[in-house]
Amino acid sequence: MNLLPLDTYPITAIERLNADYCDAVLRRDAGDWGALWRDDARWFFLGEWLEGNAAIVERWTAAMTGFPVVLHKIISQQINAEGDQGEGRVYLEEEIVTAEGDSLRFVGVYHDRYQLSGDRWRYASRRFDLIYQGPGGIIPTGWIGSPTNIEY
């Protein structure tokens, strides 16, 4: 749900897109994550370009099975938008635990192209480049995970 008129506040709406991305990763929700991409999107993942929403979601879903714990957080964002097009850099930090129980930390940058598609901004292309990779601080036994059945 977008609370702001998309054509009036494009940078805020794109910041929301990036926040929704992190939220879907933390909740491991392939449906919500996939809805953030255009049908003809491109994603640079682990050294190769993936083409199209279906291929992107399929690869992400498979990759997530190898990481039972993923903490994905935005450090900063630089976004420019005009009309229905935008581009930006999103710096992030990610701590993961692998299926083997190893804790790793990544710092990197997404180079993005955004496009207003229907009712929201979506990724037209997204390229992730590592800046740092090393040992992480999260241990598997301490991870509780995102709550699923919230009552208000």
Side-chain angles (χ1 to χ4, degrees):
M1 169 192 344
N2 288 304
L3 302 177
L4 300 171
L6 295 174
D7 58 345
T8 307
Y9 302 101
I11 292 174
T12 301
I14 293 169
E15 289 173 338
R16 172 68 187 266
L17 169 69
N18 292 326
D20 289 346
Y21 184 97
C22 284
D23 179 62
V25 169
L26 289 167
R27 292 182 299 106
R28 308 176 74 85
D29 189 315
D32 284 355
W33 189 85
L36 304 174
W37 299 82
R38 289 178 43 85
D39 288 340
D40 61 350
R42 300 176 73 227
W43 185 34
F44 189 77
F45 180 67
L46 298 177
E48 71 174 306
W49 281 102
L50 300 168
E51 305 281 341
N53 185 293
I56 290 168
V57 173
E58 181 180 342
R59 176 62 68 84
W60 180 79
T61 301
M64 290 294 280
T65 64
F67 307 120
V69 174
V70 177
L71 176 60
H72 190 88
K73 52 189 170 177
I74 293 173
I75 298 171
S76 69
Q77 303 180 63
Q78 297 295 320
I79 298 167
N80 296 301
E82 185 174 325
D84 65 352
Q85 305 286 318
E87 60 183 40
R89 286 185 310 279
V90 179
Y91 293 89
L92 71 102
E93 179 179 16
E94 193 169 58
E95 290 208 43
I96 67 165
V97 176
T98 67
E100 295 78 27
D102 297 322
S103 181
L104 300 173
R105 179 174 181 238
F106 302 108
V107 177
V109 59
Y110 282 110
H111 295 87
D112 294 334
R113 295 203 183 274
Y114 314 106
Q115 187 166 2
L116 185 59
S117 298
D119 64 341
R120 72 170 302 153
W121 287 85
R122 289 185 168 80
Y123 297 111
S125 72
R126 188 152 232 226
R127 177 190 171 109
F128 180 72
D129 292 297
L130 276 175
I131 297 171
Y132 171 82
Q133 177 179 337
I138 292 178
I139 59 172
T141 56
W143 187 258
I144 297 166
S146 188
T148 54
N149 294 320
I150 304 298
E151 292 184 32
Y152 293 93

